[in-house]
């Protein structure tokens, strides 16, 4: 048996004894694995755990998710960020119900909104034990180190080489009785635990005998650095209009706008007699965007009818929302701002 196959076998045994207990692992159904994989895109396991349990409790099946209003799904997502994932999940659930069940091939999964090659491979290998490769950030770190894969010939060559190693690993696993669901999860788990960005635990690692970066004494030199991000600067001036009863006026963003379907502050203050009582500046980063937001805070003395509170203002996408319990989907920066005003 080659030294690589011996290492793969050792990785499988390591996983058996070291895997973390995660809620989507004990019942690896299509629905649970799919939801967990979407939540885990760009988000750490520790952050996802409480969201996953609550989400599954609220939408226990794909049918329940498909039938729910998109607003409820966005509300359950509040705090996880990258809301396009929640919108895609909702749209995908409707598609899956309409087609009569979950896809069972890579090609079919790739037609589902929000699912790329990594997610398709992860879902199929974990649920059906299919021979499918995966390549997320954790697996990339492990494989780039084991094979010292660099970016010298560009990003696409780099990624293609890693995918080839990922396929070789899963096929090697089959030869030594480490099935795809074990092998792929073991690679992810090793990347998430032992093979960390800083100070990997190489002495204890089941792949140390074949790891070239470790052998060369430079595990932390991999994965090779990416080109710096090209930031897009976004500058906004918004109006936060408060009434005298602890409510804020929000606007629902349209389907074609940035932050679609989320509730946000207004571009214009509709109350000409309102008094400006302050200004706050917020700076934050979302994917490639560096956002700088100036929020003008206005107070209107207009007396609201009781019936108007908490319901959409007729004929528009405006709504008065309680500052104390703003139960509408919104981004984290707005939620934080409202907490300071409550
Ligand atoms: S030996 Fe070290 S660098 Fe190589 S895969 Fe294991 S933990 Fe990562």
């Amino acid at each position: 048996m080659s030294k690589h196959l011996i290492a793969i076998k050792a990785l499988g045994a390591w996983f058996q004894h070291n895997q973390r207990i995660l809620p989507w692992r004990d019942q690896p159904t299509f629905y649970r694995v799919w939801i967990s994989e979407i939540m885990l895109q760009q988000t750490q396991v520790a952050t996802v755990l409480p969201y996953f349990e609550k989400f599954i409790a609220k939408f226990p099946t794909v049918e329940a998710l498909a039938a729910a209003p998109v607003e409820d799904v966005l509300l359950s997502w509040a705090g996880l960020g990258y809301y396009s994932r929640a919108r895609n999940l909702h749209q995908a659930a409707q598609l899956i119900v309409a087609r009569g069940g979950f896809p069972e091939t890579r090609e079919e999964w790739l037609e589902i909104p929000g699912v790329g090659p990594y997610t398709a491979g992860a879902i199929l290998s974990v649920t059906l034990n299919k021979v499918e490769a995966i390549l997320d950030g954790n697996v990339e770190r492990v494989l780039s180190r084991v094979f010292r894969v660099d970016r010298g010939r560009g990003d696409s060559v780099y990624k293609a080489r890693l995918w080839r190693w990922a396929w070789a690993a899963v096929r090697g696993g089959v030869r030594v009785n480490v099935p795809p669901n074990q092998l792929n999860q073991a690679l992810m788990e090793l990347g998430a635990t032992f093979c960390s960005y800083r100070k990997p635990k190489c002495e204890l690692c089941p792949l140390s005998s074949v790891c070239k970066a470790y052998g060369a004494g430079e595990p932390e030199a991999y994965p090779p650095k990416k080109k710096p991000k090209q930031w897009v600067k976004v500058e906004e001036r918004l109006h936060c209009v408060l009434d005298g009863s602890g409510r804020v006026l929000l606007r629902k963003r349209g389907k074609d706008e940035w932050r679609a379907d989320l509730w946000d502050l207004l571009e214009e203050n509709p109350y000409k007699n309102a008094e400006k009582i302050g200004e706050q500046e917020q700076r934050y980063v979302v994917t490639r965007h560096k956002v700088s937001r100036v929020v003008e805070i206005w107070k209107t003395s207009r007396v609201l009818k009781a019936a108007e509170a908490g319901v959409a203002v007729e004929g528009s996408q405006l709504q008065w929302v309680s500052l104390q319990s703003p139960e509408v989907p919104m981004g984290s920066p707005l939620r934080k701002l409202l907490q300071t005003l409550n």
Side-chain angles (χ1 to χ4, degrees), residues 11-12 14-15 25 178 181-191:
L11 176 64
W14 172 86
F15 181 65
R25 280 194 178 146
V178 180
N181 61 357
Q182 298 286 302
L183 189 279
N184 282 344
Q185 292 193 85
L187 280 173
M188 289 193 273
E189 193 78 352
L190 190 72

Side-chain angles (χ1 to χ4, degrees), residues 231-234 236 238 253 258-259 264 281-295 331-334 336:
W231 291 103
V232 178
K233 282 193 178 167
V234 178
E236 296 180 310
L238 296 171
R253 294 215 166 218
W258 196 32
R259 300 190 284 259
D264 209 341
E281 195 172 352
Q282 294 186 297
R283 290 175 190 273
Y284 58 93
V285 166
V286 190
T287 54
R288 298 181 305 114
H289 300 92
K290 273 191 179 169
V291 183
S292 165
R293 255 186 160 196
V294 176
V295 179
S332 297
L334 176 57
K336 281 185 196 147

Side-chain angles (χ1 to χ4, degrees), residues 142 145-146 190 194-196 200-202 205-208 211 213-214 219:
V142 172
R145 287 173 172 178
V146 170
L190 190 72
F194 281 26
C195 195
S196 45
K201 297 189 181 82
C202 299
C205 174
L207 300 183
S208 58
C211 181
Y214 174 52

Side-chain angles (χ1 to χ4, degrees), residues 220-238:
E220 291 181 35
Y222 297 84
K225 293 214 172 10
K226 286 184 193 159
K227 277 195 206 145
K229 268 190 186 179
Q230 298 291 312
W231 291 103
V232 178
K233 282 193 178 167
V234 178
E235 292 186 357
E236 296 180 310
R237 178 168 283 273
L238 296 171

